[in-house]
Structure formats: structure tokens, C-alpha cells
Amino acid sequence: MKNRRYIVSKILCLMLVVLLLLTACTKENDEVFNISKDKGRLTARFFDISSGTDTKSGDSMLIKSPDGYTMLIDAGAPECAGQISEYLKKLNVTKIDYLVASHPHIDHIGGFKKIINDFEIGAIYMSELEYPTETFKTTMKAIEDKELDIHYLKQGDTFKFGEQVDAKVYNPSAPIEYYDKYPEGSTQFVNDHSVVLKITYGEVSMLFMGDVYKQKEMELLEQYGDELQANLIKAGHHGSDTSSSKALIETVKPQIAIFTHDSMASLNTYNAYRKRNAIVYITGTDGNILVSTDGKTLKDLAERDRPNDFLD
């Protein structure tokens, strides 16, 4: 019975992808890359990246403070690094003040080497989690070669993003306790040590969940409760049903949820956010996404128009 439900779920997701492709308008809105209105606003651009293979493309998003500081959170799979570099150049970015690694999986730090080589980097922000893979070693070597400062983030840390934006770290906890035979079978362990970051400008906040799973979400809810409320959420694990528990969604109460995914990870997760009246964007369908705020209200814009919501 469980296998049958799994197969039905996968079929529904495949049907949803087809519907997404049919309903998405091909007209592209280049206003997402228009930086003329950025000054004085906190902006977040969620990049539509594609590995061109069956490999998951991953996360990459550029945050810019009202006073012009830049923060790049993740840089996707290695195959996506060139796309991200071009996006950044299109946005006239020459320096990344804060280069943040949510966690060391390949679809999050795979593009770091190229980004570090292509742009001036202020400092690296990451967890202290060790992950003995070639991608991790390559990333650390690029950081070492450029003699970049590393700020290791842990639960409870706070820092300023520019002069007007506050940032707080909710995960990972410290010290990190590794289990025997690590990193064997470590997918959830590594995901649950993602940096969970909330940035706040005025009355508006954005919560970036990395890839944490539901169990870790519950731990964070027990510790922080309503402090996790945010106007925007970058959904955990690309919108997968491993994450975005009902309790988290009801606590965060987001106006906007972003799924950084090539197509659609979970119809159930999509529906869960829609039932809470959140606007849900999927980078693989809606293209590059721009969300900005003056500290009081949010504005959102997708690169591709979806004439109507196929679930309404």
C-alpha cells in the first residue's frame, strides 16, 4: 500500500510538471534584473538555474541590502556556476560582500570555486561542518588560495548585513557531534546542519531554511516559536516533502514561499503553502524571482508570467 501511494504521488508530480509547462507563459520579464529601483530597498533574487542533466541544480540567491551590500547564498551545482556568474554580471555585481554556504552538498557549493575566482569576495560565511568530498575540498582550496576570511556560523549568532539589515542564525547548533562512520548515510545529517538564516529590514523579514528536514524544523520551533515568523520563506530542501511541516508553515505565516527547484519537488508541499494563502514561486517554472521591500511592504515579480494558478 505504501509503495502504491508513492507511485501515485510520483505520477501526480509528473502531471503537475506537465501542467506547469503548459500554463507558464513564455514571455520573459527582464524587470527582474532591473537594478535601477534597488536603492533603499532590501532585494532578494532567486536564480533559475539548470544543470542541463538529471543532476539537481540546487540553490542560489542574491540578497542586496538597502545600502548596496551583496550576499550570495549558495551557488548551485558545478554545472550551474557559469549561469550564476552571468546573472551576477547582468546585475552589475563586482563584489560579493557575504558569500554564504548553507551546507556543503554539491548542489549548494558546487559553483563556489568559479564564483570565488570570478568576483571579489568580502568574506565566507558557513557552518563548521566538515564534509570529506572532492567538492568540499575543492571549495576549501579555492577559499584558501584567495586567503579569504571564514566566519563560522552557529545557532544564536547575529550580524549586520550593511548598516540597516539584521541577520540571525537559528541553525546549526554547536558543537557539531559526528556519528560513527560519518559521512556514510549522511544525507539528512548534512541537510539538518544547514545554516538557517533570518534577515530583517524594518518590519519585513526573510527566512532561509537551507535543506533542513521536518524533525529539525520541530526542534527549531520548540526553541524559537513565533520568532521564526517571516514574510518570505525559502522553503527547505527545494520544496520537498521532507521539509515544510504544517507546524512550520503555520508559525512562519509567509506571504511568499520560494521553491528553488528545476520543476516541482512535492505537490503536497505546494498545496500546504497555498492553503495558508502564500504566493508560491518555483524557479524552474516561474524563472528568476525578485522580491523586494522598503521595510514595510513586499513587492514580488517573476521572470515568466503564469496567467492563472493551475490549482485555483
Side-chain angles (χ1 to χ4, degrees):
M1 181 63 70
K2 183 177 180 181
N3 287 338
R4 184 178 179 182
R5 287 199 300 268
Y6 175 80
I7 292 170
V8 170
S9 176
K10 289 299 180 183
I11 291 172
L12 287 173
C13 279
L14 180 60
M15 291 172 63
L16 178 58
V17 170
V18 174
L19 284 170
L20 284 168
L21 293 174
L22 290 174
T23 58
C25 182
T26 57
K27 180 182 177 182
E28 295 192 354
N29 187 348
D30 209 44
E31 279 297 300
V32 170
F33 290 94
N34 182 357
I35 62 173
S36 66
K37 300 175 184 178
D38 286 3
K39 189 174 181 180
R41 301 181 69 85
L42 174 67
T43 63
R45 287 177 170 88
F46 300 83
F47 292 141
D48 175 24
I49 53 179
S50 175
S51 66
T53 67
D54 292 336
T55 303
K56 189 162 55 176
S57 300
D59 281 10
S60 188
M61 56 219 76
L62 179 72
I63 322 299
K64 190 160 70 171
S65 71
D67 45 359
Y69 287 87
T70 55
M71 176 188 295
L72 184 71
I73 303 178
D74 292 335
E79 299 88 345
C80 302
Q83 297 170 53
I84 296 166
S85 182
E86 288 305 310
Y87 286 149
L88 294 172
K89 291 172 183 176
K90 191 172 182 179
L91 292 165
N92 289 343
V93 173
T94 57
K95 179 181 181 181
I96 300 168
D97 299 291
Y98 304 72
L99 180 55
V100 181
S102 67
H103 63 294
H105 276 153
I106 191 170
D107 59 320
H108 292 262
I109 65 165
F112 264 47
K113 179 181 178 180
K114 180 171 178 57
I115 297 302
I116 288 170
N117 288 331
D118 284 359
F119 298 90
E120 180 184 354
I121 307 295
I124 304 292
Y125 293 76
M126 62 192 299
S127 80
E128 211 163 359
L129 182 71
E130 294 286 336
Y131 193 49
T133 63
E134 286 305 313
T135 302
F136 182 77
K137 292 174 185 176
T138 297
T139 298
M140 298 308 292
K141 179 67 163 53
I143 292 171
E144 180 183 341
D145 288 347
K146 291 287 187 175
E147 299 183 345
L148 300 175
D149 291 334
I150 300 177
H151 299 276
Y152 289 110
L153 300 176
K154 63 183 183 303
Q155 190 175 71
D157 286 349
T158 60
F159 60 93
K160 298 292 288 188
F161 173 39
E163 296 297 322
Q164 303 170 65
V165 179
D166 295 310
K168 182 167 182 177
V169 179
Y170 293 94
N171 200 60
S173 57
I176 295 172
E177 298 180 3
Y178 299 90
Y179 57 87
D180 291 341
K181 296 185 178 180
Y182 176 81
E184 292 181 19
S186 63
T187 298
Q188 181 172 349
F189 182 86
V190 174
N191 283 337
D192 280 345
H193 284 80
S194 294
V195 172
V196 174
L197 180 68
K198 181 178 177 180
I199 59 174
T200 303
Y201 175 46
E203 302 170 12
V204 176
S205 55
M206 301 181 182
L207 183 64
F208 300 86
M209 293 297 298
D211 276 3
V212 298
Y213 282 25
K214 289 178 180 177
Q215 180 180 342
K216 176 57 67 174
E217 291 175 357
M218 298 308 295
E219 293 175 14
L220 295 176
L221 288 170
E222 288 178 8
Q223 289 179 276
Y224 296 104
D226 290 341
E227 190 178 333
L228 295 176
Q229 190 280 322
N231 303 85
L232 175 147
I233 186 170
K234 197 293 294 183
H237 208 193
H238 317 281
S240 169
D241 54 13
T242 61
S243 311
S244 294
S245 62
K246 180 180 178 181
L248 181 78
I249 296 171
E250 290 181 348
T251 299
V252 176
K253 299 180 179 67
Q255 297 169 241
I256 297 173
I258 308 290
F259 291 9
T260 48
H261 197 278
D262 298 73
S263 54
M264 165 68 85
S266 167
L267 176 59
N268 289 335
T269 306
Y270 185 96
N271 284 336
Y273 280 104
R274 293 291 291 130
K275 286 177 182 177
R276 292 297 304 182
N277 297 316
I279 298 169
V280 183
Y281 287 113
I282 309 161
T283 54
T285 299
D286 300 308
N288 295 288
I289 310 298
L290 168 62
V291 182
S292 71
T293 178
D294 58 1
K296 295 182 180 180
T297 59
L298 282 176
K299 288 186 177 181
D300 54 287
L301 180 65
E303 185 177 26
R304 301 190 201 72
D305 291 334
R306 229 193 277 173
N308 47 58
D309 197 301
F310 51 88
L311 292 177
D312 288 347

